Amino acid sequence: TQRLLHLLTEAEIPVRQGWPLDTIVGIVPGRLERGFIFPETGLAVFGRADLTTLPAPSRQRRSLARVLAEMRDLAVGDFVVHADHGIGRFNGFRTLSLDGEEHECVELEYAGGGKLLVPLERADVLEKYSGAEGTPPRLDRLGGTTWARTKSKVKRALKAMAEELLKVQAQRELAAGFAFSKDSPWQRQFEDAFEYEPTPDQAQAVSEAKRDMESRRPMDRLLVGDVGYGKTEVAMRAAFKVVMDGKQVAVLAPTTILAEQHLRTFSRRFAGFPVEIRWLSRFVPAPEQRRVVAGVAEGTVDIVIGTHRLLANDVRFRDLGLLIVDEEQRFGVAQKERLKALKASVDVLAMSATPIPRTLNLGLLGLRDVSIIETPPRDRLAVQTHVLPFRREVVREAVLTELSRGGQVFFVHNRVASIGAMAELVRQTAPEARVVVAHGQMNEKELERAMDAFLETRADVLVATAIIENGLDIPNANTLIVNRADHFGLAQLYQLRGRVGRSDRLAFAYLLVPPERSLSQEARARLAAILEFADLGAGFRIAARDLEIRGAGNLLGAEQHGHLRAVGYETYCHLLEEAVSELRGEAAPPPVAAVELRLGLDLRVPERYVPEEMLRLAVYRRIAGARSDGELAGLRAEYADRFGPPPPQLDNLFLHQRVRRRAETSGVTRIRRTALGWEVTFDPAHPAAHATAMALLATAPDSALAPTGVLRLPIAHRDPPAAAAALADLLPPPA
């Protein structure tokens, strides 16, 4: 209700809450799922599902390069990679007239001033160049051989790297793991006790994890989901399955606060079941630590939750069955080595909210199993994010607004030396608020007292360092203030923002910075990105943009970083996919020859339908990248929902792509509409060309096949779209 009221008020629409409805728009609390319309009275009622239900995300497996290609639009001056010609500069859009057809094209500029026009119906051959920000690449020369040589060199290097990666994976495949039992009645009872309806993605992730666990191969699954999207519930269901088979579970978190959060969540969900849950961290007194370590060794402790204290040499498990690692990228090198030893033969479930691009890359390439939770929980709202100069009036207004609705505030100040002074400034600025301080260098008891006061709502504002960034779940805290936001990394800002907006209440994040002139270029890019990715489920895009801003050297190593800069990130991913497929002995798909189509169709998407140029380019790219009739139908439904009923030109573009995909798999290299009919040219070397030509000949008595491989086919329809649709139906669909 608050979210809807906020949106309507922002749009300056007069609105009233509750009866009587004496305005144009009214909001009435209730439980109506679907609405209705009474035309006679001029009344339209919208239910909750009419306003909040989202289309189910596609379950299609995506390569990382395609994920990125769907996300980032080009801007004039950006560097672009053409699949055949290499790196050029994007100069904007141009219109080209060819045989009476108007084509919207992308103009690329190459070394030496060479220009290339790429029709937008073939925009799938273009990829945005992504390397280290601030380091422009060298432009290739049109018609030169440098691009082919560069790709070949990178491919060889990638093959060597992929061999190492596959060797590690093969060792794990050969390791003998434990096959867990099928679900017990208690398992079903445990899962039915979940107070929320699992999202489709959560259910899918649980199913994938169970399938892994019930096989003999040790599980190594990465669970990627945005902050607050229910990764912990998936992990708890896996943990329950392990305990039911008499084995132990270790839950490893990077911070004490996150470990304690997991302890509370696990204890609440496992209450009523005979499961012994303990935790290990520096908060635990030494005698109790010794008792927990002894219980783990004897097997009396079923689930142990903790920080890197779990990786100490004195911790020995009697029968470890599952290792759950939260935010693995936050552990140090030495801790990761100890983790490797633990992982050797047990099932592993790693959780990450903003996966570093390398981890995401390996997962989506199939070098690691990955489950993606993209569906937001019901009633979840996007956090309203603002970047503002630091002013006491902003802090006061933000705190008092949150207090006025009975909520609490996180205030992040990441310098321990001055955090006390900042807390005092907050007290003076908003004397109505009860303020407590928390940071990692505090005495355990003091830190515990501060956190308990905030958790139990005996404090209104928690002034803390970035120790709160991971996993803290306090639904009543819905305002976040970050001081010196320019000093934080992009993924870190995203994690911090995830601490608020974890209920159905509209949340606010204020990122406070010094005057803009003192910000570095990199800080500006980070803050622009966090504002851009303010919608729900932006973790993937955050990871991709983080790669652009920071560069990939620390992710891929210096050697691979040079290769990535040479070809751009998306092309690098394509080449890595090819190298992995070759090493696995998978048959490489035959290279797809470009098909020249002149169907007499108007393919220009009208500006009135999609006014913004960059958005229009994204429409062209996605249609050009569609591989099947099903994908095309899905895109058409999506655009009809986003922009309204598709105009004839957009339907022509879908039809053009349908003909192109069928021609590519049928051995056709050219289709041209003439006054006498269709001219269809075949590649004699293509394995499907002969069968396709014979099938087309059989459809019309007036057709003829010339010795040169050109088939002349009469046109039954005068209307170009109808004629092209009839031709598409004659060509065999892609396998």
Side-chain angles (χ1 to χ4, degrees), residues 535-602:
D535 55 325
L536 293 169
F540 280 95
R541 286 174 286 175
I542 288 286
R545 183 60 58 85
D546 205 20
L547 176 99
E548 282 187 52
I549 292 169
R550 290 184 298 130
N554 55 336
L555 303 175
L556 300 163
E559 185 185 347
Q560 289 300 328
H561 183 46
H563 298 313
L564 183 145
R565 280 189 56 198
V567 295
Y569 189 60
E570 294 178 22
T571 303
Y572 180 91
C573 289
H574 283 313
L575 294 174
L576 181 54
E577 285 174 344
E578 288 175 18
V580 171
S581 295
E582 285 176 24
L583 288 168
R584 283 181 167 161
E586 296 169 3
V592 177
V595 179
E596 182 189 337
L597 295 181
R598 297 189 188 176
L599 306 179
L601 301 174
D602 182 1

Side-chain angles (χ1 to χ4, degrees), residues 100-315:
E101 295 178 29
E102 294 284 309
H103 295 266
E104 200 167 3
C105 301
V106 166
E107 183 183 282
L108 301 181
E109 183 180 342
Y110 283 84
K115 301 281 179 66
L116 179 69
L117 291 177
V118 182
L120 281 178
E121 61 267 23
R122 288 305 320 271
D124 56 324
V125 298
L126 304 177
E127 294 169 350
K128 182 176 179 180
Y129 173 88
S130 297
E133 196 167 272
T135 311
R138 181 181 295 175
L139 297 183
D140 284 298
R141 189 174 290 276
L142 270 180
T145 59
T146 53
W147 176 243
R149 284 204 307 270
T150 301
K151 281 209 302 185
S152 177
K153 179 182 172 185
V154 171
K155 181 86 172 279
R156 284 196 301 273
L158 280 172
K159 208 163 182 177
M161 186 183 85
E163 268 184 307
E164 285 300 310
L165 293 172
L166 289 172
K167 204 177 291 179
V168 172
Q169 189 196 34
Q171 287 167 353
R172 192 167 183 84
E173 293 276 353
L174 295 172
F178 179 81
F180 288 92
S181 311
K182 299 285 184 185
D183 285 0
S184 64
W186 269 13
Q187 180 86 29
R188 287 188 284 275
Q189 191 179 332
F190 175 81
E191 293 181 5
D192 290 343
F194 186 43
E195 59 265 46
Y196 305 105
E197 183 70 27
T199 64
D201 286 351
Q202 269 182 309
Q204 177 78 12
V206 170
S207 171
E208 289 168 347
K210 285 180 179 176
R211 188 184 63 227
D212 288 353
M213 294 168 73
E214 289 166 9
S215 77
R216 295 289 301 176
R217 181 178 71 90
M219 174 171 74
D220 182 18
R221 183 163 290 277
L222 172 65
L223 179 58
V224 180
D226 236 318
V227 284
Y229 273 38
K231 300 185 295 295
T232 307
E233 176 63 24
V234 176
M236 288 190 292
R237 294 185 182 197
F240 193 91
K241 190 177 188 70
V242 171
V243 173
M244 288 302 99
D245 268 4
K247 286 183 169 284
Q248 295 170 294
V249 178
V251 182
L252 188 61
T255 66
T256 306
I257 287 179
L258 182 51
E260 193 173 7
Q261 176 79 46
H262 282 318
L263 177 70
R264 280 195 296 272
T265 308
F266 272 70
S267 299
R268 178 177 55 80
R269 281 289 280 122
F270 281 77
F273 293 94
V275 178
E276 192 72 16
I277 301 173
R278 290 287 180 266
W279 82 307
L280 268 179
S281 83
R282 64 190 183 89
F283 271 4
V284 179
E288 177 64 16
Q289 285 191 38
R290 286 193 291 273
R291 282 194 290 273
V292 173
V293 169
V296 168
E298 293 161 8
T300 55
V301 172
D302 300 305
I303 299 175
V304 60
I305 298 168
T307 57
H308 54 271
R309 173 70 181 85
L310 280 180
L311 301 175
N313 292 328
D314 64 331
V315 179

Side-chain angles (χ1 to χ4, degrees), residues 252 388 472 543 695:
L252 188 61
L388 300 165
L472 202 59

Side-chain angles (χ1 to χ4, degrees), residues 292-470:
V292 173
V293 169
V296 168
E298 293 161 8
T300 55
V301 172
D302 300 305
I303 299 175
V304 60
I305 298 168
T307 57
H308 54 271
R309 173 70 181 85
L310 280 180
L311 301 175
N313 292 328
D314 64 331
V315 179
R316 295 273 189 276
F317 291 88
R318 185 185 67 82
D319 192 4
L320 182 62
L322 174 66
L323 175 63
I324 298 169
V325 187
D326 203 355
E327 300 295 342
E328 184 180 342
Q329 69 267 23
R330 292 177 54 81
F331 290 95
V333 176
Q335 292 153 356
K336 285 182 177 175
E337 286 305 311
R338 175 83 173 110
L339 267 174
K340 276 182 191 172
L342 265 181
K343 285 178 174 183
S345 59
V346 302
D347 284 15
V348 178
L349 183 64
M351 299 190 292
S352 185
T354 48
I356 58 174
R358 177 176 170 79
T359 311
L360 178 60
N361 187 11
L362 296 184
L364 291 173
L365 283 172
L367 295 175
R368 189 174 186 183
D369 297 321
V370 65
S371 295
I372 302 173
I373 301 180
E374 291 177 296
T375 320
R378 191 187 179 107
D379 297 333
R380 183 62 54 87
L381 306 171
V383 178
Q384 298 292 304
T385 307
H386 308 277
V387 176
L388 300 165
F390 183 94
R391 292 200 309 273
R392 290 181 67 169
E393 308 90 84
V394 172
V395 174
R396 177 172 172 77
E397 187 180 342
V399 171
L400 294 187
T401 301
E402 187 59 54
L403 264 57
S404 70
R405 58 178 186 171
Q408 294 168 282
V409 178
F410 289 117
F411 189 109
V412 178
H413 178 81
N414 210 27
R415 291 184 68 87
V416 173
S418 55
I419 197 168
M422 182 54 69
E424 189 54 41
L425 181 72
V426 174
R427 289 189 187 99
Q428 291 172 10
T429 305
E432 302 89 338
R434 297 166 296 173
V435 179
V436 291
V437 177
H439 60 79
Q441 294 178 26
M442 288 172 73
N443 171 285
E444 296 110 60
K445 292 296 179 190
E446 286 180 12
L447 183 53
E448 196 170 359
R449 275 197 296 270
M451 293 306 301
D452 285 345
F454 195 66
L455 286 164
E456 294 163 12
T457 66
R458 288 184 281 107
D460 304 308
V461 181
L462 177 67
V463 179
T465 56
I467 59 170
I468 69 160
E469 76 177 273
N470 284 98

